[in-house]
């Protein structure tokens, strides 16, 4: 209950500044995303969204890994999110305001590039933001939902809920938001195996294999 209350307080804090910021930016949004622009063709919209996800996740990977590898950034910005070692839906937005701003910048990359090249209506931008938020909530839901309920986990190269759960459990590795392929390519994908190998029982303790060990004790409270 304490975790849920703490997560809700962080979410309320973020929306307390985020919603007024969006309202204040509405003239700029109307300029960037005019209502009379044409959305991406319906047939190609899934591929467009996938391209935007790649840009978003590349940004997410870079700043997320930096927040982990620079001690003072981890302590002052990212650690509040890692108080939740077993994620649940509210924790998807239970982050420091600075981290929320970094997420927003990455999520804007694809739509801004598309709008510059082809034009994009603001309604398409809102649909994209809803998709990104849904993906974040599902990753923090704590449930490995079956297909087709988890439409993201069905896609090749997407890690799914367990991928991000392992990041919260072990405090390192699995830095991408959705595309586990990025961690595979960068050598930061966690390999969690039952102690004793694949034949070990379901309740066996885990062995974590990652390319880069943690540089300090991630669970300490004194840094």
């Amino acid at each position: 209950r304490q975790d849920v209350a703490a997560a809700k307080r962080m979410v309320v804090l973020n929306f307390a500044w985020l919603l007024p910021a969006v309202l204040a930016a509405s003239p700029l949004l109307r300029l960037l995303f005019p209502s009379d622009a044409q959305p991406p063709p319906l047939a190609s919209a899934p591929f467009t969204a996938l391209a935007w996800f790649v840009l978003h996740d590349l940004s997410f990977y870079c700043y997320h890994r930096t927040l982990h590898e620079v001690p003072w950034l981890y302590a002052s910005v990212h650690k509040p999110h890692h108080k939740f070692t077993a994620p649940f839906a509210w924790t998807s937005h239970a982050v420091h305001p600075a981290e929320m701003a970094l997420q927003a910048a990455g999520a804007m990359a694809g739509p801004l590039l598309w709008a510059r090249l082809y034009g994009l209506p603001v309604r398409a931008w809102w649909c994209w933001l809803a998709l990104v938020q849904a993906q974040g909530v599902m990753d923090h839901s704590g449930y490995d939902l079956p297909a087709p309920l988890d439409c993201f986990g069905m896609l090749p190269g997407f890690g799914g809920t367990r991928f991000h759960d392992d990041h919260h459990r072990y405090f390192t590795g699995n830095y991408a938001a959705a595309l586990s392929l990025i961690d595979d390519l960068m050598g930061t994908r966690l390999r969690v195996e039952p102690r004793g190998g694949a034949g070990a029982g379901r309740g066996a303790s885990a062995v974590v294999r990652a390319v880069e060990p943690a540089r300090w004790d991630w669970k300490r409270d004194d840094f």
Side-chain angles (χ1 to χ4, degrees):
R1 289 182 180 178
Q2 290 179 340
D3 280 353
V4 174
K8 287 182 177 180
R9 283 195 299 270
M10 294 172 71
V11 172
V12 169
L13 173 63
N14 276 318
F15 278 93
W17 72 265
L18 191 58
L19 293 177
V22 171
L23 289 174
S26 58
L28 178 60
L29 291 174
R30 284 195 295 267
L31 181 65
L32 294 172
F33 306 111
S35 58
D36 58 349
Q38 291 299 310
L42 188 60
S44 63
F47 303 101
T48 303
L50 181 60
W52 294 358
F53 256 116
V54 172
L55 291 176
H56 167 53
D57 230 4
L58 286 172
S59 168
F60 188 98
Y61 179 94
C62 291
Y63 81 72
H64 188 198
R65 185 172 177 180
T66 299
L67 291 177
H68 272 270
E69 295 201 353
V70 179
W72 70 268
L73 282 176
Y74 180 82
S76 59
V77 176
H78 194 48
K79 189 173 182 177
H81 185 61
H82 270 283
K83 294 289 186 181
F84 309 103
T85 55
F88 49 94
W90 281 99
T91 60
S92 64
H93 292 78
V95 297
H96 190 283
E99 190 169 352
M100 180 67 80
L102 288 169
Q103 289 184 19
M108 288 291 287
L112 283 175
L113 181 60
W114 186 277
R116 176 65 177 168
L117 295 174
Y118 308 108
L120 188 73
V122 70
R123 64 183 181 277
W125 177 71
W126 279 114
C127 288
W128 161 248
L129 287 189
L131 185 65
V132 170
Q133 301 313 309
Q135 184 274 321
V137 170
M138 291 181 74
D139 263 6
H140 288 83
S141 68
Y143 294 95
D144 220 353
L145 298 174
L149 296 178
D150 185 359
C151 57
F152 301 100
M154 295 166 53
L155 299 173
F158 279 68
T161 303
R162 182 166 303 215
F163 173 79
H164 198 66
D165 273 3
D166 286 342
H167 172 77
H168 275 263
R169 185 178 180 186
Y170 298 108
F171 296 85
T172 188
N174 293 9
Y175 297 117
L179 289 164
S180 55
L181 179 62
I182 297 175
D183 281 279
D184 288 328
L185 294 174
M186 298 301 293
T188 50
R189 175 79 176 267
L190 290 178
R191 305 295 178 186
V192 183
E193 304 169 356
R195 194 176 297 278
R202 190 170 186 177
S205 57
V207 176
V208 181
R209 306 184 188 280
V211 171
E212 296 187 47
R215 296 185 181 180
W216 60 84
D217 183 357
W218 301 96
K219 295 186 179 181
R220 281 173 49 193
D221 290 320
D222 58 345
F223 62 82

